[in-house]
């Protein structure tokens, strides 16, 4: 029971991270119908920026953990957001009228490019960082002495995710920007005719998605303490699976899908074979697409003939 | 044709580009993570950052000042080159075949060169195999390397456990790969293009993970070594000291032994197999099923409205493409002599897909050219290697932007009305 | 005379929207039936139900053929096409990079597959396939001559002018050897002269081949000129049915197209 609870906590933490990345996929897909294959690389870049920023700030004498965390998140969000903006303007916008597969292939090219760019710039080896906010709480101890604990940083992850999700939902539902976003996602031509700057809305979508992925990157750096240039590919596929599972185009779906995927992965690694946990994730993707392509919270798409 | 752009505006645009480059480059280029024993430290690389900012500034300035849409420039280049290329174009396939046939006899054909030739031919074989799936039927398969892996591992396991030879594995590997293709294809072929692509990517990854972890079958990350090389059609072996009861190739023909003989033989075997796929494809294009594949690619809704069972046809393409991937697997083993899961990652799939897409969907010649450029150049000019993958990614973006139909855009019809 | 197609209580709902509401009518053999109505009335949706691109929510679509009636509702689209129901599309769907001739050869895939034993005879180069392909090319030539496209037979389909593309799409559908031809706005985008030519073509082909035609069209000159029977839809419901003269004078139809006078709004 205790072991189960621990896996539950760990799974939800992992799931929150996947969810934050998945939101970027789902928002971009919802508004321009494209799978941004390079999104995972933005997350990876966010992680690297977080690591570098931490080292830089620490060397400048900033040691207070909360302040450091805040500054690092701000830096990662800003820089990843700029990467997202640049990518949209320079690469995807000129291709917007192209068929889906053309966009997908350029996204793949971009993903490879970014991976190699980071590998060349920072070296191919794994980078490590000692935990920023060590310690935690023991929730309970069972009969055999196994302690179920929640680390301080896990609490940070949950709090941050809730804050960001709330903030994002508020933006989408209450602000002008959010309205524009929903309109453009539903019908770009009509939205443009109503005076909405669809280009700018799309840019903003990319930036928001990138910023959230960057936060996920920050969390990975501090939670796991290990990153390399290839984490984007794997996390990207899984986050995409999460977005599909939750229903592509649905924001709460992305988070839900992420949490579920995180749980499945943790439990699989704990109770079944850890080596095959990635296969479990891919298996979910295939299953969802075959059985219920609209996902848990999505609406079924009807093909217009 | 260029619209006049004020120098002020050009400078402003260039300035913005430089600023963006500065911010984007600051963390990853300006700083460098140094891997120390105790953790990471930071070093700075301001000079490199300034260099990148300068390139961004100058590049954007040039782009804005020329004012021309890049696509128009690309079209201009194409139409300028066309009168030179077109007459040669008809002869080019034959020239290439002749060149390939006589390559080992040419003076610069060292063992390394022939080996590179085998590598390029293997990729051409893979490209032509994937072409059936992606080029003809229009199914973007991002995990094609899975079939290469299945072919290679089937061969490795059959030969290391049951002592089968190259020639015995050659018909068996495609059967295994094709079976996998049927199994995988059946549930996913109804998916829409981009979802289908991602799922095939997942499949490629699954095969790699399984190969890496199923140690009892595949020997895990260590792989299987000492794989057999092809014998001379079962009559003789390419070795200086043949096993008892076996003849040596050089003895059979009364010439001195040379290690290059084995390599040359493998080269011709791969060439023959590649030409076999080519002939197969050319034939099948003119058959109902080939035309149905192309119809599917052009407009699958219209194809369904004409009574074409899309699922069955796609499955056939997928399984046949997989079979050729399996064939390539046997050859792959013969060239390397060993097999490990590392050879079958996403990058390889992306490479093969790029060859087909860059070459021009369905164009046999285009695939050859793309393979030569993407695989051959880095092989022959090792200095490119550091930036090779990065250029590869950039090239994919560029091709989609400026020439999305690939190098060779024209399509040769399969039937003509006289 | 039994109908070739019987539509019975057909209903199509998308979520909360009812696109087609309990529509029933018959399509007679060797005759031209037109389906008209204002935009959004459900005409193309009905087409999609008949040809298997949508699965109807309720109701039946019965195809009466020599071997016995077949229920089309719920069958996959390619099966319905094989049963002899061919269609064209509102937005032309040609195999753009394939030539005009190849488009017509694809349409004849069923016989060619049979003749080539699923292409195996073809791979082996057996004469039975070559004969079948030559035959198919001749069939294609016949139809290309009929619509004046012979000169462009070896050009990619997407290089044809709009009017030619429309005619090619119709001829391609005919090459499948159908018993019922469903044309979705074949005259869309054509000028009056082209429309008249097209109308004459459809009329002639229907008579020559004893072919039933179900036609969606907005161009009233075409509809009134060649239809034997007209069915009118509005907001998913059938509001009138009958010969052209009767429909022209029908009050409900006029109201649907032109709107009611202000004081008549109930």
């Amino acid at each position: 029971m205790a072991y189960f609870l621990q896996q539950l906590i760990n799974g939800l933490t992992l799931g929150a991270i996947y969810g934050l990345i998945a939101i970027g996929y789902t928002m971009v897909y919802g508004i321009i119908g494209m799978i941004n294959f390079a999104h995972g690389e933005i997350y990876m870049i966010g992680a690297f920026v977080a690591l570098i920023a931490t080292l830089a700030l620490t060397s400048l004498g900033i040691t207070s953990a909360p302040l450091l965390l805040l500054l690092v998140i701000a830096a990662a969000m800003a820089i990843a957001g700029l990467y997202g903006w640049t990518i949209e303007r320079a690469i995807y916008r000129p291709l917007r009228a192209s068929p889906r597969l053309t966009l997908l292939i350029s996204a793949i090219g971009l993903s490879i490019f970014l991976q190699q760019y980071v590998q060349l710039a920072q070296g191919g080896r794994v980078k490590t960082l000692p935990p920023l906010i060590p310690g935690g709480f023991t929730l309970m101890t069972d009969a055999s002495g196994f302690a179920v604990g929640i680390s301080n940083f896990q609490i940070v992850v949950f709090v941050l995710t809730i804050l960001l999700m709330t903030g994002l939902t508020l933006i989408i539902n209450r602000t002008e920007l959010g309205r524009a976003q929903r309109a453009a996602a539903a019908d770009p031509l009509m939205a443009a005719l109503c005076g909405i700057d669809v280009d700018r809305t799309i840019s903003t979508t990319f930036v928001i998605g990138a910023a959230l992925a960057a936060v996920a990157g920050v969390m990975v750096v501090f939670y796991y303490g290990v990153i390399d240039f290839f984490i984007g590919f794997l996390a990207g596929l899984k986050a995409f699976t999460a977005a599909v599972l939750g229903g592509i185009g649905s924001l709460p779906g992305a988070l839900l899908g992420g949490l579920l995927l995180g749980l499945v992965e943790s439990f699989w690694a704990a109770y079944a074979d850890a080596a095959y946990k990635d296969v479990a994730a891919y298996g979910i993707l295939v299953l969802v697409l075959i059985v219920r392509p609209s996902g848990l919270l999505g609406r079924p798409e009807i093909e217009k003939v | 044709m260029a619209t006049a752009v004020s120098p002020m505006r050009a400078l402003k645009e260039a300035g913005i580009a430089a600023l963006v480059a500065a911010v984007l480059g600051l963390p990853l280029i300006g700083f460098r993570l140094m891997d120390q024993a105790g953790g990471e430290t930071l070093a700075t690389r301001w000079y490199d950052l300034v260099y990148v900012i300068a390139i961004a500034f100058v590049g954007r300035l040039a782009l804005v000042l020329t004012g021309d849409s890049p696509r128009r420039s690309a079209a201009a280049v194409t139409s300028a080159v066309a009168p030179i290329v077109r007459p040669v174009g008809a002869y080019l396939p034959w020239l290439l075949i002749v060149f390939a046939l006589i390559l080992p006899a040419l003076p610069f054909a060292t063992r390394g060169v022939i080996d590179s030739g085998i590598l390029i031919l293997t990729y051409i074989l893979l490209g032509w195999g994937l072409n059936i799936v992606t080029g003809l039927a229009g199914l973007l398969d991002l995990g094609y390397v899975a079939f290469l892996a299945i072919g290679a591992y089937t061969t490795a396991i059959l030969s290391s456990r049951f002592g089968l030879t190259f020639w015995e594995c050659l018909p068996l590997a495609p059967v295994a790969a094709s079976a996998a293709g049927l199994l995988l294809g059946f549930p996913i072929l109804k998916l829409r293009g981009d979802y289908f692509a991602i799922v095939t990517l997942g499949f490629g990854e699954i095969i790699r993970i399984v190969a890496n972890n199923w140690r009892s079958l595949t020997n895990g990350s260590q792989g299987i070594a000492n794989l057999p090389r092809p014998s001379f059609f079962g009559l003789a072996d390419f070795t200086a000291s043949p096993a008892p009861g076996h003849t040596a190739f050089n003895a059979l023909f009364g010439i001195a032994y040379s290690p290059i003989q084995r390599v040359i033989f493998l080269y011709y075997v791969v060439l023959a197999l590649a030409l076999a796929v080519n002939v197969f494809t050319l034939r099948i294009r003119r058959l109902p099923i080939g035309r149905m594949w192309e119809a599917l690619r052009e407009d699958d809704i219209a194809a369904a409205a004409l009574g074409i069972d899309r699922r069955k046809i796609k499955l056939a393409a997928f399984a046949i493409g997989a079979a050729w991937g399996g064939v390539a697997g046997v050859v792959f083993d013969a060239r390397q002599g060993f097999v490990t899961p590392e050879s079958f990652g996403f990058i390889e799939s992306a490479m093969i897909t790029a060859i087909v897409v860059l070459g021009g969907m369905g164009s046999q010649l285009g695939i050859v050219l793309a393979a030569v450029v993407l695989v051959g150049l880095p092989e022959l000019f090792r200095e490119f290697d550091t930036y090779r993958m990065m250029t590869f990614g950039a090239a994919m973006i560029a091709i989609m932007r400026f020439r999305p139909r690939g190098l060779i855009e024209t399509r040769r019809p399969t039937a003509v009305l006289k | 005379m039994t109908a070739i197609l019987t539509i019975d209580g057909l209903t199509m709902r998308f979520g909360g929207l009812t696109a087609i509401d309990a529509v029933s009518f018959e399509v007679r053999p060797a005759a031209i039936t037109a389906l008209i109505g204002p935009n959004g009335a459900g005409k193309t949706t009905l087409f999609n139900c008949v040809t298997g691109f949508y699965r109807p929510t309720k109701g039946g679509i019965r195809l009466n053929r020599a071997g016995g009636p077949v229920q089309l509702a719920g069958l996959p689209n390619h099966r319905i096409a094989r049963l002899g129901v061919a269609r064209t599309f509102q937005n032309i769907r040609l195999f753009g990079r394939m030539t005009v001739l190849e488009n017509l050869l694809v349409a004849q895939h069923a016989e060619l597959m049979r003749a080539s034993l699923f292409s195996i005879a073809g791979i082996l180069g057996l004469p039975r396939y070559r004969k079948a392909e030559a035959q198919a090319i001749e069939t294609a030539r016949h139809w290309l001559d009929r619509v004046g496209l012979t000169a462009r037979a070896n050009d990619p389909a997407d290089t044809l002018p709009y009017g030619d593309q429309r005619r090619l799409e119709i001829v391609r559908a005919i090459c499948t050897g159908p018993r019922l031809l469903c044309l979705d706005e074949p005259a869309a985008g054509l000028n009056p002269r082209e429309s008249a030519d097209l109308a004459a073509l459809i009329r002639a082909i229907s008579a020559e081949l004893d072919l039933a035609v179900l036609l969606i069209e907005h161009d009233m000159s075409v509809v009134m000129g060649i239809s034997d029977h007209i069915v009118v839809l509005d907001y998913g419901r059938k509001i009138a049915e009958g010969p052209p003269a009767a429909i022209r004078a029908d009050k409900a139809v006029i109201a649907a197209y032109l709107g009611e006078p202000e004081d008549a709004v109930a």
Side-chain angles (χ1 to χ4, degrees), chain B residues 323-386:
Chain B
W324 286 111
V327 169
V330 186
V331 162
F332 179 86
D333 279 0
R335 177 179 168 266
Q336 282 209 142
F338 65 90
V339 63
T340 59
E342 268 171 35
S343 319
F344 309 113
F346 170 64
I347 293 286
E348 275 66 37
S349 268
M351 183 80 86
I352 306 170
T353 308
I355 288 176
V356 174
V357 172
L358 262 59
M361 308 277 252
S363 163
Q364 306 284 82
L365 177 61
I367 286 171
V368 172
L369 296 176
V372 167
V373 167
L374 287 176
V375 180
L377 284 185
E379 270 292 304
L380 298 174
F381 300 103
R382 287 298 162 109
E383 311 91 68
F384 285 146
D385 212 37
T386 339

Side-chain angles (χ1 to χ4, degrees), chain A residues 107-161:
Chain A
I108 292 172
L110 180 61
S111 162
I112 294 176
F113 178 83
L114 288 174
Q115 264 177 39
Q116 296 299 311
Y117 155 62
V118 173
Q119 182 187 14
L120 278 174
Q122 297 298 333
R125 283 203 256 139
V126 155
K127 318 285 175 191
T128 58
L129 184 74
L132 175 70
I133 305 177
F137 301 93
T138 309
L139 293 177
M140 64 175 258
T141 323
D142 77 357
S144 64
F146 182 89
V148 178
I150 183 166
S151 76
N152 284 335
F153 198 73
Q154 278 176 319
I155 298 175
V156 170
V157 169
F158 290 132
V159 167
L160 259 178
T161 307

Side-chain angles (χ1 to χ4, degrees), chain A residues 8 62 70 79 91-92 124-125 129 134 139 143 152 158 161 196 219 250 258 272-273 276 279 290 304:
Chain A
L8 188 71
I62 301 174
L70 206 64
I79 294 190
I91 317 270
Y92 294 148
R125 283 203 256 139
L129 184 74
L139 293 177
N152 284 335
F158 290 132
T161 307
I196 292 177
M219 304 214 274
S250 157
D273 196 338
Y276 289 100
V279 175
I290 295 174
K304 277 250 150 191

Side-chain angles (χ1 to χ4, degrees), chain C residues 53-261:
Chain C
F53 285 89
Y54 289 161
R55 193 192 212 94
T57 316
K58 255 199 315 211
I61 305 170
R62 202 173 67 237
L63 179 70
N64 300 309
R65 48 201 290 265
V70 181
Q71 180 57 240
L72 296 184
L75 286 186
N77 42 33
H78 63 92
R79 279 260 282 146
I80 294 180
R82 297 280 204 131
L83 287 169
V85 180
R87 73 167 291 175
T88 62
F89 294 89
Q90 205 167 2
N91 300 315
I92 302 178
R93 287 180 174 270
L94 291 174
F95 306 126
R97 277 184 292 169
M98 298 177 85
T99 65
V100 168
L101 175 65
E102 285 173 319
N103 270 267
L104 298 186
L105 290 179
V106 174
Q108 301 177 65
H109 70 92
E111 297 89 71
L112 288 172
M113 276 292 256
R114 222 175 297 132
S116 70
L117 299 171
F118 303 105
S119 302
I120 297 177
I123 295 192
L124 301 175
L126 293 180
R128 61 181 284 164
Y129 175 68
R130 261 179 280 143
K131 238 177 60 177
E133 193 186 47
Q135 177 66 44
I137 293 179
E138 280 318 299
T139 307
R141 185 199 295 276
H142 165 83
W143 287 108
L144 289 176
D145 289 340
R146 193 80 171 62
V147 292
L149 287 175
T150 320
R152 309 231 31 193
N154 300 317
D155 294 337
D158 57 8
T159 60
L160 259 56
Y162 184 81
D164 288 351
Q165 286 191 6
R166 276 256 175 241
R167 289 210 303 285
L168 176 61
E169 208 195 5
I170 293 173
V171 158
R172 185 183 66 182
I174 292 173
C175 279
T176 63
R179 306 176 57 246
L180 170 63
L181 181 63
C182 300
L183 301 175
D184 196 342
E185 295 195 40
L190 299 182
N191 65 44
R193 226 273 319 268
E194 291 170 322
S195 299
D197 288 344
L198 183 77
L201 178 71
I202 297 173
R203 177 99 235 153
I205 289 176
S206 170
E208 268 168 47
L209 300 178
D210 242 4
L211 184 62
V213 176
L214 179 62
L215 172 73
I216 293 178
E217 195 38 74
H218 280 291
D219 185 336
M220 284 304 138
S221 63
V222 171
V223 172
M224 294 299 166
I226 64 172
S227 314
D228 298 305
H229 189 76
I230 300 179
V231 175
V232 189
L233 294 186
D234 190 24
Y235 288 112
R237 288 200 199 95
K238 184 178 78 174
I239 61 172
E241 184 176 7
I247 294 297
R248 218 194 313 246
D250 188 305
K251 288 216 179 69
V253 174
I254 295 171
Y257 270 100
L258 299 176
E260 304 203 345

